[in-house]
Amino acid sequence: MTPRPRTRAPLALAMTIALIALAAFFGGQFQASAHAGPQSTGARQLGAPDYGVCRGTSPSCYHDWGNFTPSATGYKVLLYTRTAGPRHADLGPALAGGLDPALTAANVVQNALIAMGKANGFTVDWTEDIAQLSSPAQLFKYNAVIFFSTSRDALDDAAQTSLRQYIRGGGGFVGIHNAFGTEYNWPWYEGLLGGANFYDHGPEQPGTVVTTNREDTSTANLPARWAFTDEWYNLVPAPTEVRLLATVDESTLAKGVTGNYGHPGHGKVHPVAWCQYYDGGRAWLTTLGHDAKDFSTDGSYAGAEQFQKLILGGIESAMGKRPFCRAG
């Protein structure tokens, strides 16, 4: 019997390999463009680094390992405001060492967060002493750690290790305003911020915040649009794999959005608040919070009430007191 030609099998195999290669190529292109961000105008290709951890909006990334017993111990947060570079005026003078050092009236942020905790059933400790973050055991006393306008290298090696282990054990993190100007050269921390980092900002000016998700704990009591004044941070990279909670409408910024280092803004989607699960823990983030007047309570400063509601919900959800990072 004459054997059949055997050319079809290699040809089919070659075609299969070619199709797989094409699929991989176009799949990679789609993934890259998807991570470029949802905006259709403004800065493009701001990066989507891979931080090598479980992160995103799924609770499957959270580690519920029994490190917190609020039913027995109550809810408690640590407010960290150490600055190793520029210091925002609302932080007041640098604090003495140790835990809960003396405050002055000029320490607006610290005083405001302490009062917020007292009014809402959680305890606030405050510090600028790295030694208070030197072991995971110290941090596991707290349901969440808040970085409010920290700057530059605000952590040493021991504190970096402790923060990472704390988050991996189910800890909560809240990053406010210049928390984005902190630990620039630590990729894991950049991921904790939502895969985002501060690049520059334009002039402080009034604008309109758009609440893009009104189902989350931090935004449920906010209007769809509200007036506020801030520096409106421009970001590189821009956040990815997060749940966007609020943006700024760049068309309402009369002085423009272009930053002091040339960033042209984010166009139609300029994030100012978001949340994510990250490497076992919860992270709630906002770039807002520049001005001491953000904590006024007499109605004299537009958006102060809304800002305080926003960060209160972020803190309470990050520490597990209320639902975290709810879909809109």
Side-chain angles (χ1 to χ4, degrees), residues 52-295:
V53 305
C54 183
R55 73 182 187 103
T57 58
S58 171
S60 63
C61 289
Y62 183 71
H63 295 164
D64 187 3
W65 290 349
N67 285 310
F68 307 98
T69 54
S71 59
T73 60
Y75 289 95
K76 194 172 186 179
V77 300
L78 179 66
L79 173 62
Y80 190 58
T81 52
R82 182 180 180 88
T83 52
R87 187 174 180 88
H88 278 67
D90 60 355
L91 297 182
L95 304 183
L99 193 65
D100 300 344
L103 300 173
T104 71
N107 297 116
V108 173
V109 166
Q110 297 89 337
N111 289 317
L113 268 292
I114 293 165
M116 183 179 288
K118 288 179 179 178
N120 292 280
F122 59 91
T123 301
V124 178
D125 281 340
W126 62 95
T127 192
E128 294 182 0
D129 186 348
I130 297 178
Q132 301 303 315
L133 286 73
S134 64
S135 75
Q138 288 172 284
L139 293 184
F140 278 122
K141 298 174 184 177
Y142 302 100
N143 303 92
V145 174
I146 304 168
F147 279 30
F148 200 126
S149 287
T150 46
S151 68
R152 302 297 191 265
D153 294 329
L155 303 173
D156 60 13
D157 184 69
Q160 286 185 341
T161 301
S162 296
L163 180 63
R164 190 184 310 211
Q165 295 301 81
Y166 168 75
I167 294 297
R168 286 179 170 173
F173 179 81
V174 175
I176 300 175
H177 200 50
N178 209 53
F180 288 87
T182 301
E183 298 293 326
Y184 280 111
N185 299 311
W186 186 18
W188 182 89
Y189 179 82
E190 182 176 274
L192 181 64
L193 296 177
N197 230 322
F198 169 75
Y199 182 76
D200 67 8
H201 62 74
E204 182 180 5
Q205 60 185 306
T208 299
V209 177
V210 180
T211 309
T212 57
N213 176 341
R214 299 180 70 187
E215 298 299 322
D216 185 63
T217 295
S218 63
T219 53
N221 295 318
L222 297 180
R225 295 172 66 89
W226 44 284
F228 195 59
T229 297
D230 214 285
E231 294 176 318
W232 311 112
Y233 280 7
N234 294 317
L235 305 165
V236 177
T240 54
E241 310 299 333
V242 302
R243 177 156 287 130
L244 188 60
L245 302 174
T247 64
V248 59
D249 181 348
E250 289 188 354
S251 70
T252 65
L253 304 180
K255 297 181 182 179
V257 72
T258 300
N260 53 309
Y261 292 129
H263 192 301
H266 294 271
K268 294 181 179 179
V269 181
H270 187 144
V272 299
W274 56 92
C275 56
Q276 64 165 350
Y277 292 94
Y278 184 79
D279 201 13
R282 307 182 186 98
W284 186 93
L285 299 313
T286 183
T287 62
L288 305 179
H290 171 73
D291 203 303
K293 296 176 183 176
D294 296 345
F295 290 104

